[in-house]
């Protein structure tokens, strides 16, 4: 079974951030982490990643090409089967990136109540994995995706002139 | 700023510092996301572009005073590392190296990610020093990643 990827800010999911939140009980998450999985109309956007992470680079290249100024990229990975077994409802819904194949790996977690959202956060913390790809690697992956023609250049949303020049993209008017 | 009296220079410095403080105060209301510009980041880059080395010095004092919101300071440090301006490179690297020892893990995180973006192997010793004493395991992992990246950059530049 594949994994489910959600972009997060890595430092909001530190497990023992005692210097920033000394009042936090062991095992508790800072409330800030919930902001990373804030749903829109009770729906959360995620992407499927293979167990062996073989398509991880391509998903991250597509997601970061959707950003204004891609840099370091934090993410959480959760087992899809675990989410299914916990009763989370996951539906096929095309993504909105510049890579059409990555778009086919997009899913929505729907019908998320506040209680379910908290359960999702706790599942990420206790059973999921969080990680971060440094900017240099992210930029390598975007470049690789552009030169492999995986990314439709017209749909890349990067606005930073410095980065558009770096990736050989035309400057936006 | 030669030709300016010490009192006028102090007034000017105070005025610039007030602009940074105001920016940081406003930044507390923003939600920062990886790879996304914000009003805070755009205005920070404008101030650093306008005031150059003086701006970096004032920013250093502000962040190292630890009287600013750690999430905002962390975001600032990430962007400080992404600027490509040789004139302020050394000052920015020193700010990032100093901030590796901040009390807040979030600020230390922003500092090491800023150094990763800068990709200057001259920061290797500073990263190694804090890596060995970092208590937050996830942050130590990030520092290890950055240290490996800087080592790799240094090896390539030595060839």
């Amino acid at each position: 079974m594949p994994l489910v990827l959600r972009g997060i800010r890595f430092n909001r999911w530190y497990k023992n951030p005692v210097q920033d939140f000394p009042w936090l009980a062991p095992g508790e998450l800072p409330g800030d982490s919930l902001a990373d999985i804030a749903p829109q109309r009770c729906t959360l956007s995620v992407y499927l990643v293979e167990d062996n992470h073989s398509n991880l680079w391509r998903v991250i290249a597509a997601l970061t090409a959707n950003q204004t100024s891609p840099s370091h990229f934090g993410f959480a990975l959760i087992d899809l089967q675990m989410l299914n077994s916990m009763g989370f409802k996951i539906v096929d819904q095309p993504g909105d990136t510049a890579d059409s194949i990555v778009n086919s790996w997009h899913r929505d977690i729907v019908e998320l109540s506040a209680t379910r959202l908290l359960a999702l956060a706790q599942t990420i913390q206790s059973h999921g994995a969080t990680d971060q790809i440094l900017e240099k690697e992210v930029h390598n992956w975007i470049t690789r995706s552009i030169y492999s023609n995986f990314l439709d250049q017209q749909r890349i949303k990067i606005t930073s002139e410095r980065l558009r020049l770096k990736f050989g993209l035309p400057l936006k008017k | 700023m030669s030709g300016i009296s010490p009192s006028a220079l102090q007034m000017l410095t105070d005025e610039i510092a007030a602009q940074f403080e105001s920016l940081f105060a406003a930044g507390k209301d923003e939600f920062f996301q990886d790879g996304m510009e914000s009003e805070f980041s755009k205005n920070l880059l404008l101030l650093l572009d306008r005031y150059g080395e003086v701006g970096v010095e004032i920013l250093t004092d502000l962040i190292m005073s630890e009287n600013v919101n750690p999430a905002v300071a962390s975001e600032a440090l990430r962007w400080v590392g992404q600027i490509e301006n040789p004139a302020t490179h050394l000052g920015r690297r020193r700010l990032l190296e100093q901030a590796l020892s901040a009390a807040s893990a979030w600020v230390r995180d922003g500092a090491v990610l800023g150094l990763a973006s800068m990709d200057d192997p001259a920061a290797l010793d500073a990263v190694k020093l804090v890596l060995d004493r970092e208590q937050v395991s996830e942050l130590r992992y990030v520092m290890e990643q950055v240290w490996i990246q800087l080592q790799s950059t240094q090896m390539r530049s030595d060839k």
Side-chain angles (χ1 to χ4, degrees):
Chain A
M1 280 294 268
L3 305 165
V4 164
L5 177 145
R6 170 72 189 183
I8 58 163
R9 178 155 280 196
F10 189 58
N11 67 10
R12 292 191 189 113
W13 295 79
Y14 285 172
K15 286 194 170 72
N16 193 25
V18 286
Q19 290 139 324
D20 288 88
F21 307 110
W23 45 267
L24 204 64
E28 272 195 323
L29 271 171
D32 298 49
S33 54
L34 287 179
D36 282 330
I37 54 170
Q40 292 193 333
R41 292 192 62 79
C42 301
T43 298
L44 189 68
S45 170
V46 294
Y47 285 82
L48 296 184
V49 170
E50 296 296 337
D51 280 341
N52 62 5
H53 296 192
S54 58
N55 63 339
L56 179 69
W57 76 270
R58 189 164 169 179
V59 171
I60 290 179
L63 287 174
T64 51
N66 251 12
Q67 299 174 333
T68 58
S69 188
S71 180
H72 316 290
F73 182 80
F75 59 97
L77 290 172
I78 326 149
D79 190 275
L80 177 62
Q81 192 169 19
M82 171 169 286
L83 292 180
N84 284 331
S85 69
M86 292 178 70
F88 285 101
K89 191 170 176 183
I90 299 164
V91 298
D92 282 21
Q93 184 70 33
D96 182 28
T97 75
D99 185 329
S100 59
I101 298 296
V102 170
N103 291 341
S104 72
W105 297 330
H106 181 262
R107 299 290 183 275
D108 275 336
I109 305 178
V110 298
E111 299 177 12
L112 277 171
S113 65
T115 308
R116 301 295 287 159
L117 193 67
L118 186 58
L120 179 64
Q122 289 168 333
T123 305
I124 292 172
Q125 190 200 27
S126 54
H127 299 291
T130 56
D131 204 344
Q132 180 172 246
I133 306 297
L134 294 180
E135 177 183 293
K136 198 172 185 177
E137 189 75 334
V138 167
H139 288 185
N140 285 341
W141 289 353
I142 293 173
T143 302
R144 182 177 163 193
S145 244
I146 289 172
Y147 285 96
S148 303
N149 286 321
F150 292 159
L151 292 172
D152 175 353
Q153 294 198 17
Q154 300 298 318
R155 299 189 62 193
I156 291 175
K157 294 179 183 163
I158 296 167
T159 54
S160 159
E161 285 193 6
R162 174 179 65 89
L163 293 181
R164 291 192 73 86
L165 288 170
K166 179 176 182 175
F167 297 131
L169 299 169
L171 295 181
K172 289 201 167 188
K173 288 175 185 167
Chain B
M1 295 191 192
S2 58
I4 300 178
S5 70
S7 61
L9 184 60
Q10 187 58 50
M11 277 177 62
L12 187 57
T13 305
D14 290 347
E15 162 60 22
I16 298 170
Q19 290 182 48
F20 276 96
E21 285 166 15
S22 169
L23 177 65
F24 271 67
K28 282 195 294 188
D29 297 326
E30 289 196 60
F31 175 67
F32 302 119
Q33 292 176 279
D34 286 0
M36 301 302 283
E37 291 170 355
S38 60
E39 283 307 305
F40 173 77
S41 69
K42 282 188 251 184
N43 288 320
L44 176 71
L45 297 186
L46 281 175
L47 285 183
L48 289 173
D49 187 50
R50 186 180 301 157
Y51 298 118
E53 287 179 83
V54 173
V56 173
E57 282 175 29
I58 288 169
L59 181 63
T60 303
D61 290 344
L62 186 61
I63 289 178
M64 296 316 296
S65 74
E66 308 213 29
N67 287 326
V68 288
N69 180 296
V72 182
S74 180
E75 181 71 4
L77 292 166
R78 285 171 170 241
W79 286 94
V80 159
Q82 292 180 43
I83 296 167
E84 288 183 356
N85 178 359
T88 59
H89 180 94
L90 182 60
R92 286 183 291 112
R93 198 189 80 219
R94 284 181 175 157
L95 159 59
L96 295 168
E97 289 174 349
Q98 282 184 59
L100 288 172
S101 301
S104 162
W106 282 19
V107 174
R108 299 197 297 278
D109 177 85
V112 78
L113 291 177
L115 287 170
S117 295
M118 192 172 262
D119 203 23
D120 181 351
L124 265 169
D125 288 346
V127 174
K128 179 66 177 162
L129 192 68
V130 291
L131 167 60
D132 290 338
R133 61 175 191 235
E134 180 56 56
Q135 299 291 310
V136 178
S137 58
E138 296 96 332
L139 181 51
R140 192 166 59 246
Y141 162 74
V142 176
M143 288 174 171
E144 281 168 355
Q145 282 186 310
V146 174
W147 189 66
I148 290 166
Q149 179 195 302
L150 295 179
Q151 271 196 317
S152 167
T153 303
Q154 184 175 50
M155 280 191 283
R156 271 201 303 277
S157 62
D158 286 347
K159 280 183 183 172

